[in-house]
PDB file of all heavy atoms in Angstrom:
ATOM      1  N   ALA A1030     -34.823 -11.834  43.379  1.00 71.00           N
ATOM      2  CA  ALA A1030     -35.584 -13.097  43.456  1.00 71.00           C
ATOM      3  C   ALA A1030     -36.240 -13.290  44.826  1.00 71.00           C
ATOM      4  O   ALA A1030     -37.367 -13.751  44.893  1.00 71.00           O
ATOM      5  CB  ALA A1030     -34.641 -14.260  43.114  1.00 71.00           C
ATOM      6  N   GLN A1031     -35.498 -13.025  45.884  1.00 68.00           N
ATOM      7  CA  GLN A1031     -36.041 -13.193  47.242  1.00 68.00           C
ATOM      8  C   GLN A1031     -37.167 -12.214  47.569  1.00 68.00           C
ATOM      9  O   GLN A1031     -37.940 -12.446  48.480  1.00 68.00           O
ATOM     10  CB  GLN A1031     -34.909 -13.090  48.273  1.00 68.00           C
ATOM     11  CG  GLN A1031     -33.945 -14.272  48.179  1.00 68.00           C
ATOM     12  CD  GLN A1031     -33.144 -14.429  49.457  1.00 68.00           C
ATOM     13  OE1 GLN A1031     -33.326 -13.736  50.474  1.00 68.00           O
ATOM     14  NE2 GLN A1031     -32.183 -15.376  49.434  1.00 68.00           N
ATOM     15  N   ALA A1032     -37.184 -11.122  46.822  1.00 63.00           N
ATOM     16  CA  ALA A1032     -38.287 -10.157  47.002  1.00 63.00           C
ATOM     17  C   ALA A1032     -39.390 -10.371  46.047  1.00 63.00           C
ATOM     18  O   ALA A1032     -40.309  -9.577  45.874  1.00 63.00           O
ATOM     19  CB  ALA A1032     -37.731  -8.741  46.797  1.00 63.00           C
ATOM     20  N   ASP A1033     -39.409 -11.602  45.427  1.00 64.00           N
ATOM     21  CA  ASP A1033     -40.465 -12.011  44.458  1.00 64.00           C
ATOM     22  C   ASP A1033     -40.522 -11.074  43.288  1.00 64.00           C
ATOM     23  O   ASP A1033     -41.549 -10.820  42.673  1.00 64.00           O
ATOM     24  CB  ASP A1033     -41.836 -12.048  45.165  1.00 64.00           C
ATOM     25  CG  ASP A1033     -41.907 -13.115  46.212  1.00 64.00           C
ATOM     26  OD1 ASP A1033     -41.235 -14.155  46.051  1.00 64.00           O
ATOM     27  OD2 ASP A1033     -42.523 -12.882  47.208  1.00 64.00           O
ATOM     28  N   LEU A1034     -39.353 -10.584  42.844  1.00 63.00           N
ATOM     29  CA  LEU A1034     -39.220  -9.786  41.648  1.00 63.00           C
ATOM     30  C   LEU A1034     -38.424 -10.569  40.612  1.00 63.00           C
ATOM     31  O   LEU A1034     -37.536 -11.302  40.993  1.00 63.00           O
ATOM     32  CB  LEU A1034     -38.562  -8.417  41.908  1.00 63.00           C
ATOM     33  CG  LEU A1034     -39.275  -7.486  42.904  1.00 63.00           C
ATOM     34  CD1 LEU A1034     -38.419  -6.292  43.193  1.00 63.00           C
ATOM     35  CD2 LEU A1034     -40.623  -7.075  42.323  1.00 63.00           C
ATOM     36  N   ASP A1035     -38.778 -10.368  39.397  1.00 65.00           N
ATOM     37  CA  ASP A1035     -38.107 -11.058  38.324  1.00 65.00           C
ATOM     38  C   ASP A1035     -36.627 -10.607  38.214  1.00 65.00           C
ATOM     39  O   ASP A1035     -36.370  -9.481  37.977  1.00 65.00           O
ATOM     40  CB  ASP A1035     -38.820 -10.822  36.990  1.00 65.00           C
ATOM     41  CG  ASP A1035     -38.299 -11.656  35.818  1.00 65.00           C
ATOM     42  OD1 ASP A1035     -37.251 -12.377  36.022  1.00 65.00           O
ATOM     43  OD2 ASP A1035     -38.853 -11.580  34.752  1.00 65.00           O
ATOM     44  N   PRO A1036     -35.638 -11.515  38.389  1.00 63.00           N
ATOM     45  CA  PRO A1036     -34.254 -11.119  38.235  1.00 63.00           C
ATOM     46  C   PRO A1036     -33.918 -10.537  36.903  1.00 63.00           C
ATOM     47  O   PRO A1036     -32.895  -9.821  36.783  1.00 63.00           O
ATOM     48  CB  PRO A1036     -33.523 -12.472  38.474  1.00 63.00           C
ATOM     49  CG  PRO A1036     -34.468 -13.310  39.270  1.00 63.00           C
ATOM     50  CD  PRO A1036     -35.822 -12.946  38.758  1.00 63.00           C
ATOM     51  N   ALA A1037     -34.734 -10.799  35.887  1.00 67.00           N
ATOM     52  CA  ALA A1037     -34.514 -10.209  34.582  1.00 67.00           C
ATOM     53  C   ALA A1037     -34.586  -8.676  34.650  1.00 67.00           C
ATOM     54  O   ALA A1037     -34.140  -7.998  33.672  1.00 67.00           O
ATOM     55  CB  ALA A1037     -35.472 -10.782  33.578  1.00 67.00           C
ATOM     56  N   ILE A1038     -35.182  -8.134  35.666  1.00 63.00           N
ATOM     57  CA  ILE A1038     -35.278  -6.681  35.871  1.00 63.00           C
ATOM     58  C   ILE A1038     -33.891  -6.106  35.803  1.00 63.00           C
ATOM     59  O   ILE A1038     -33.657  -5.028  35.279  1.00 63.00           O
ATOM     60  CB  ILE A1038     -35.992  -6.325  37.151  1.00 63.00           C
ATOM     61  CG1 ILE A1038     -37.457  -6.730  37.042  1.00 63.00           C
ATOM     62  CG2 ILE A1038     -35.863  -4.809  37.447  1.00 63.00           C
ATOM     63  CD1 ILE A1038     -38.224  -6.492  38.331  1.00 63.00           C
ATOM     64  N   TYR A1039     -32.949  -6.798  36.446  1.00 63.00           N
ATOM     65  CA  TYR A1039     -31.574  -6.322  36.468  1.00 63.00           C
ATOM     66  C   TYR A1039     -31.018  -6.154  35.068  1.00 63.00           C
ATOM     67  O   TYR A1039     -30.397  -5.181  34.762  1.00 63.00           O
ATOM     68  CB  TYR A1039     -30.684  -7.223  37.320  1.00 63.00           C
ATOM     69  CG  TYR A1039     -29.232  -6.846  37.249  1.00 63.00           C
ATOM     70  CD1 TYR A1039     -28.735  -5.829  38.077  1.00 63.00           C
ATOM     71  CD2 TYR A1039     -28.324  -7.501  36.420  1.00 63.00           C
ATOM     72  CE1 TYR A1039     -27.436  -5.447  38.036  1.00 63.00           C
ATOM     73  CE2 TYR A1039     -26.957  -7.125  36.342  1.00 63.00           C
ATOM     74  CZ  TYR A1039     -26.581  -6.091  37.192  1.00 63.00           C
ATOM     75  OH  TYR A1039     -25.250  -5.715  37.148  1.00 63.00           O
ATOM     76  N   ASP A1040     -31.229  -7.164  34.212  1.00 67.00           N
ATOM     77  CA  ASP A1040     -30.735  -7.095  32.843  1.00 67.00           C
ATOM     78  C   ASP A1040     -31.407  -5.934  32.056  1.00 67.00           C
ATOM     79  O   ASP A1040     -30.715  -5.266  31.260  1.00 67.00           O
ATOM     80  CB  ASP A1040     -31.045  -8.429  32.112  1.00 67.00           C
ATOM     81  CG  ASP A1040     -30.289  -9.587  32.721  1.00 67.00           C
ATOM     82  OD1 ASP A1040     -29.088  -9.390  33.155  1.00 67.00           O
ATOM     83  OD2 ASP A1040     -30.848 -10.682  32.849  1.00 67.00           O
ATOM     84  N   THR A1041     -32.645  -5.694  32.382  1.00 65.00           N
ATOM     85  CA  THR A1041     -33.333  -4.603  31.705  1.00 65.00           C
ATOM     86  C   THR A1041     -32.705  -3.281  32.088  1.00 65.00           C
ATOM     87  O   THR A1041     -32.479  -2.369  31.242  1.00 65.00           O
ATOM     88  CB  THR A1041     -34.854  -4.542  32.054  1.00 65.00           C
ATOM     89  OG1 THR A1041     -35.413  -5.837  31.613  1.00 65.00           O
ATOM     90  CG2 THR A1041     -35.544  -3.457  31.354  1.00 65.00           C
ATOM     91  N   ILE A1042     -32.458  -3.105  33.399  1.00 59.00           N
ATOM     92  CA  ILE A1042     -31.910  -1.832  33.892  1.00 59.00           C
ATOM     93  C   ILE A1042     -30.481  -1.660  33.291  1.00 59.00           C
ATOM     94  O   ILE A1042     -30.147  -0.616  32.858  1.00 59.00           O
ATOM     95  CB  ILE A1042     -31.842  -1.838  35.435  1.00 59.00           C
ATOM     96  CG1 ILE A1042     -33.316  -1.881  35.971  1.00 59.00           C
ATOM     97  CG2 ILE A1042     -31.063  -0.677  35.934  1.00 59.00           C
ATOM     98  CD1 ILE A1042     -33.339  -2.037  37.483  1.00 59.00           C
ATOM     99  N   ARG A1043     -29.676  -2.764  33.352  1.00 62.00           N
ATOM    100  CA  ARG A1043     -28.362  -2.654  32.840  1.00 62.00           C
ATOM    101  C   ARG A1043     -28.270  -2.320  31.402  1.00 62.00           C
ATOM    102  O   ARG A1043     -27.453  -1.525  30.935  1.00 62.00           O
ATOM    103  CB  ARG A1043     -27.626  -3.928  33.114  1.00 62.00           C
ATOM    104  CG  ARG A1043     -26.155  -3.919  32.776  1.00 62.00           C
ATOM    105  CD  ARG A1043     -25.467  -5.208  33.084  1.00 62.00           C
ATOM    106  NE  ARG A1043     -26.020  -6.298  32.278  1.00 62.00           N
ATOM    107  CZ  ARG A1043     -25.561  -7.557  32.279  1.00 62.00           C
ATOM    108  NH1 ARG A1043     -24.593  -7.911  33.094  1.00 62.00           N
ATOM    109  NH2 ARG A1043     -26.171  -8.455  31.543  1.00 62.00           N
ATOM    110  N   SER A1044     -29.178  -2.929  30.568  1.00 62.00           N
ATOM    111  CA  SER A1044     -29.116  -2.680  29.110  1.00 62.00           C
ATOM    112  C   SER A1044     -29.601  -1.322  28.737  1.00 62.00           C
ATOM    113  O   SER A1044     -29.139  -0.746  27.730  1.00 62.00           O
ATOM    114  CB  SER A1044     -29.947  -3.765  28.441  1.00 62.00           C
ATOM    115  OG  SER A1044     -31.345  -3.642  28.846  1.00 62.00           O
ATOM    116  N   SER A1045     -30.489  -0.740  29.580  1.00 58.00           N
ATOM    117  CA  SER A1045     -30.985   0.571  29.223  1.00 58.00           C
ATOM    118  C   SER A1045     -30.276   1.726  29.879  1.00 58.00           C
ATOM    119  O   SER A1045     -30.420   2.879  29.502  1.00 58.00           O
ATOM    120  CB  SER A1045     -32.505   0.667  29.637  1.00 58.00           C
ATOM    121  OG  SER A1045     -32.621   0.473  31.066  1.00 58.00           O
ATOM    122  N   ALA A1046     -29.424   1.435  30.894  1.00 56.00           N
ATOM    123  CA  ALA A1046     -28.720   2.479  31.578  1.00 56.00           C
ATOM    124  C   ALA A1046     -27.469   2.908  30.857  1.00 56.00           C
ATOM    125  O   ALA A1046     -26.887   2.044  30.153  1.00 56.00           O
ATOM    126  CB  ALA A1046     -28.348   2.025  32.982  1.00 56.00           C
ATOM    127  N   PRO A1047     -27.024   4.152  30.996  1.00 53.00           N
ATOM    128  CA  PRO A1047     -25.761   4.613  30.430  1.00 53.00           C
ATOM    129  C   PRO A1047     -24.630   3.754  30.978  1.00 53.00           C
ATOM    130  O   PRO A1047     -24.674   3.352  32.135  1.00 53.00           O
ATOM    131  CB  PRO A1047     -25.659   6.042  30.872  1.00 53.00           C
ATOM    132  CG  PRO A1047     -27.072   6.454  31.155  1.00 53.00           C
ATOM    133  CD  PRO A1047     -27.780   5.259  31.670  1.00 53.00           C
ATOM    134  N   THR A1048     -23.640   3.492  30.204  1.00 57.00           N
ATOM    135  CA  THR A1048     -22.573   2.595  30.635  1.00 57.00           C
ATOM    136  C   THR A1048     -21.469   3.281  31.367  1.00 57.00           C
ATOM    137  O   THR A1048     -20.628   2.583  32.006  1.00 57.00           O
ATOM    138  CB  THR A1048     -21.941   1.903  29.414  1.00 57.00           C
ATOM    139  OG1 THR A1048     -21.469   2.895  28.481  1.00 57.00           O
ATOM    140  CG2 THR A1048     -23.041   1.039  28.698  1.00 57.00           C
ATOM    141  N   LYS A1049     -21.375   4.568  31.317  1.00 71.00           N
ATOM    142  CA  LYS A1049     -20.230   5.269  31.961  1.00 71.00           C
ATOM    143  C   LYS A1049     -20.685   6.378  32.897  1.00 71.00           C
ATOM    144  O   LYS A1049     -21.531   7.213  32.606  1.00 71.00           O
ATOM    145  CB  LYS A1049     -19.349   5.886  30.846  1.00 71.00           C
ATOM    146  CG  LYS A1049     -18.095   6.512  31.351  1.00 71.00           C
ATOM    147  CD  LYS A1049     -17.178   5.472  32.023  1.00 71.00           C
ATOM    148  CE  LYS A1049     -15.886   6.120  32.403  1.00 71.00           C
ATOM    149  NZ  LYS A1049     -14.967   5.170  33.063  1.00 71.00           N
ATOM    150  N   THR A1050     -20.183   6.325  34.114  1.00 74.00           N
ATOM    151  CA  THR A1050     -20.413   7.344  35.093  1.00 74.00           C
ATOM    152  C   THR A1050     -19.120   8.074  35.331  1.00 74.00           C
ATOM    153  O   THR A1050     -18.068   7.477  35.537  1.00 74.00           O
ATOM    154  CB  THR A1050     -20.904   6.770  36.410  1.00 74.00           C
ATOM    155  OG1 THR A1050     -22.149   6.072  36.233  1.00 74.00           O
ATOM    156  CG2 THR A1050     -21.131   7.878  37.441  1.00 74.00           C
ATOM    157  N   ILE A1051     -19.174   9.399  35.201  1.00 81.00           N
ATOM    158  CA  ILE A1051     -17.925  10.200  35.305  1.00 81.00           C
ATOM    159  C   ILE A1051     -18.078  11.073  36.518  1.00 81.00           C
ATOM    160  O   ILE A1051     -19.002  11.789  36.717  1.00 81.00           O
ATOM    161  CB  ILE A1051     -17.682  11.039  34.057  1.00 81.00           C
ATOM    162  CG1 ILE A1051     -17.569  10.155  32.806  1.00 81.00           C
ATOM    163  CG2 ILE A1051     -16.451  11.944  34.186  1.00 81.00           C
ATOM    164  CD1 ILE A1051     -17.472  10.891  31.455  1.00 81.00           C
ATOM    165  N   VAL A1052     -17.023  11.071  37.368  1.00 83.00           N
ATOM    166  CA  VAL A1052     -16.940  11.922  38.531  1.00 83.00           C
ATOM    167  C   VAL A1052     -15.761  12.866  38.353  1.00 83.00           C
ATOM    168  O   VAL A1052     -14.633  12.483  38.145  1.00 83.00           O
ATOM    169  CB  VAL A1052     -16.717  11.130  39.810  1.00 83.00           C
ATOM    170  CG1 VAL A1052     -16.729  12.002  41.071  1.00 83.00           C
ATOM    171  CG2 VAL A1052     -17.799  10.057  39.942  1.00 83.00           C
ATOM    172  N   THR A1053     -16.095  14.176  38.461  1.00 87.00           N
ATOM    173  CA  THR A1053     -15.035  15.217  38.233  1.00 87.00           C
ATOM    174  C   THR A1053     -15.013  16.123  39.404  1.00 87.00           C
ATOM    175  O   THR A1053     -16.028  16.302  40.136  1.00 87.00           O
ATOM    176  CB  THR A1053     -15.255  15.944  36.933  1.00 87.00           C
ATOM    177  OG1 THR A1053     -16.485  16.624  36.996  1.00 87.00           O
ATOM    178  CG2 THR A1053     -15.192  15.045  35.747  1.00 87.00           C
ATOM    179  N   ALA A1054     -13.936  16.891  39.558  1.00 90.00           N
ATOM    180  CA  ALA A1054     -13.837  17.948  40.583  1.00 90.00           C
ATOM    181  C   ALA A1054     -13.021  19.091  39.987  1.00 90.00           C
ATOM    182  O   ALA A1054     -12.033  18.860  39.264  1.00 90.00           O
ATOM    183  CB  ALA A1054     -13.203  17.415  41.851  1.00 90.00           C
ATOM    184  N   HIS A1055     -13.406  20.294  40.267  1.00 90.00           N
ATOM    185  CA  HIS A1055     -12.613  21.434  39.849  1.00 90.00           C
ATOM    186  C   HIS A1055     -12.889  22.635  40.731  1.00 90.00           C
ATOM    187  O   HIS A1055     -13.873  22.649  41.468  1.00 90.00           O
ATOM    188  CB  HIS A1055     -12.897  21.815  38.375  1.00 90.00           C
ATOM    189  CG  HIS A1055     -14.338  22.168  38.096  1.00 90.00           C
ATOM    190  ND1 HIS A1055     -15.281  21.200  37.712  1.00 90.00           N
ATOM    191  CD2 HIS A1055     -15.017  23.349  38.178  1.00 90.00           C
ATOM    192  CE1 HIS A1055     -16.449  21.780  37.502  1.00 90.00           C
ATOM    193  NE2 HIS A1055     -16.338  23.072  37.812  1.00 90.00           N
TER     194      HIS A1055
END
């Protein structure tokens, strides 16, 4: 909002992004 961007952008990114990030090591 302070950068004059629509805060709804966050909801769009969150709804379209994968919900799970997996970090592995081997």
Side-chain angles (χ1 to χ4, degrees):
Q1031 291 199 5
D1033 296 325
L1034 298 175
D1035 187 354
I1038 293 175
Y1039 174 80
D1040 296 321
T1041 302
I1042 295 174
R1043 185 180 62 177
S1044 61
S1045 61
T1048 57
K1049 185 64 176 177
T1050 301
I1051 300 175
V1052 183
T1053 61
H1055 59 269

